[in-house]
Amino acid sequence: MTTPRLGIAFVPTHAPESLRRLATTAEDAGLDDLWVWEDCFKQSGLASAAAALAWTERVRVGIGLMPAPLRSTAITAMEVATLARMFPGRLVAGFGHGVQEWMGQAGVRVASPLTLLREHATALRSLLAGEEVTTDGRYVTLDAVRLDWPPTGPVPLWLGGSGPRTLALAGELGDGLILTNALTPEDVRGAAAVAREGGAGPGFDVHATLIAATGPDAQARVDRELPVWGAEPGRGIGAAGDAQAVAAGVLALAEAGATAVAVQPTADEPDVEAFVRFLGREVAPLLSSR
């Protein structure tokens, strides 16, 4: 097992204006990654990523996940390419189906989310490679579209989801898999296996999230947080306690196949910046020592 990348998850339970301090603190604390979310109707993943990239110089910024139904393929390619040229090597673009109820609210729900994600990801990869794309799919239609300013290097395109067909599609078309944020290590192991059976290569990445808290009431706070994300306490999801306990939670996900782990603070975390420094200064050294 290699040491996983360690990051912080900025979920939409935290106000957009708090991102700047979190991003700069993550960089100062030496974390590898900062992951932002795009949830309806809360925050824009691309806007958050652009700001975080501008405020930092080293940390990698991932977007998990941009819902394919909400975004035209052409404008998404333009936006991702622009960020990739401005901040080369520091952006991970993640795409998924979106929550179907939310897609319905927005008027963009489709009959076959899997078909849309396949068409979207395929066309995006070609556009970001600088190719001219003409396609007439069920959902994605492009006529001789080529970016004037494609990225100067490869941009990682990761796909996310939970169903077996989506996991297999991520292995087939993606550079990585982004999993939901309330899974046991066994859940992660099973999902990674399905993705690899779909055709993932040896460099395929798997991103997992660890909901965590530290302090004397850490376990109670994690237990209160899990139902918000559809999980029950007592199933081995999340980590609570000191640096050793959180590091053990990260390593358990890594042993299950995760190559990158983002730690998600609870919504009631009293000092998110202190929590980020705790991850960088106390948890990260325990990972590299294994």
Side-chain angles (χ1 to χ4, degrees), residues 12-290:
T13 51
H14 299 280
E17 59 268 26
S18 67
L19 175 59
R20 181 169 190 162
R21 292 292 297 272
L22 184 142
T24 56
T25 302
E27 175 127 313
D28 292 343
L31 294 185
D32 300 307
D33 297 334
L34 165 65
W35 285 87
V36 297
W37 283 32
E38 183 160 274
D39 268 4
C40 295
F41 300 91
K42 299 177 175 67
Q43 296 176 25
S44 162
L46 269 166
S48 297
L53 287 164
W55 291 326
T56 56
E57 296 181 356
R58 177 197 55 79
V59 68
R60 186 176 73 171
V61 178
I63 308 172
L65 296 160
M66 289 179 274
L70 275 177
R71 297 183 169 278
S72 80
T73 305
I75 192 65
T76 301
M78 292 162 56
E79 291 174 326
V80 170
T82 299
L83 287 182
R85 288 187 71 101
M86 289 178 172
F87 308 100
R90 294 180 55 209
L91 174 68
V92 175
F95 301 91
H97 301 305
V99 176
Q100 294 307 292
E101 180 182 355
W102 293 343
M103 297 303 99
Q105 286 181 271
V108 294
R109 186 169 184 168
V110 299
S112 178
L114 196 71
T115 299
L116 170 56
L117 188 57
R118 174 181 290 279
E119 293 179 358
H120 189 72
T122 301
L124 268 176
R125 187 174 294 282
S126 296
L127 289 168
L128 293 173
E131 301 172 9
E132 180 178 288
V133 178
T134 296
T135 182
D136 185 15
R138 182 174 178 182
Y139 299 111
V140 177
T141 300
L142 300 170
D143 182 10
V145 175
R146 184 195 298 270
L147 297 177
D148 283 5
W149 297 99
T152 55
V155 180
L157 295 181
W158 294 15
L159 303 184
S162 56
R165 291 191 298 169
T166 303
L167 295 173
L169 185 68
E172 177 188 352
L173 297 181
D175 298 306
L177 167 66
I178 300 177
L179 296 170
T180 56
N181 64 334
L183 300 179
T184 68
E186 283 306 308
D187 293 333
V188 171
R189 180 174 287 106
V194 174
R196 292 194 171 94
E197 289 169 3
F204 188 75
D205 281 299
V206 176
H207 174 273
T209 299
L210 181 74
I211 297 173
T214 189
D217 58 346
Q219 189 61 60
R221 289 169 49 215
V222 170
D223 288 347
R224 288 195 301 268
E225 185 81 11
L226 292 179
V228 176
W229 307 101
E232 297 178 2
R235 293 186 54 234
I237 299 173
D242 60 9
Q244 290 280 358
V246 176
V250 172
L251 290 170
L253 294 175
E255 289 168 356
T259 59
V261 177
V263 179
Q264 176 184 325
T266 57
D268 62 0
E269 171 56 51
D271 190 337
V272 175
E273 293 162 40
F275 184 78
V276 172
R277 289 190 289 269
F278 160 76
L279 293 177
R281 298 172 183 174
E282 299 185 43
V283 175
L286 299 176
L287 305 181
S288 58
S289 66
R290 288 287 294 268

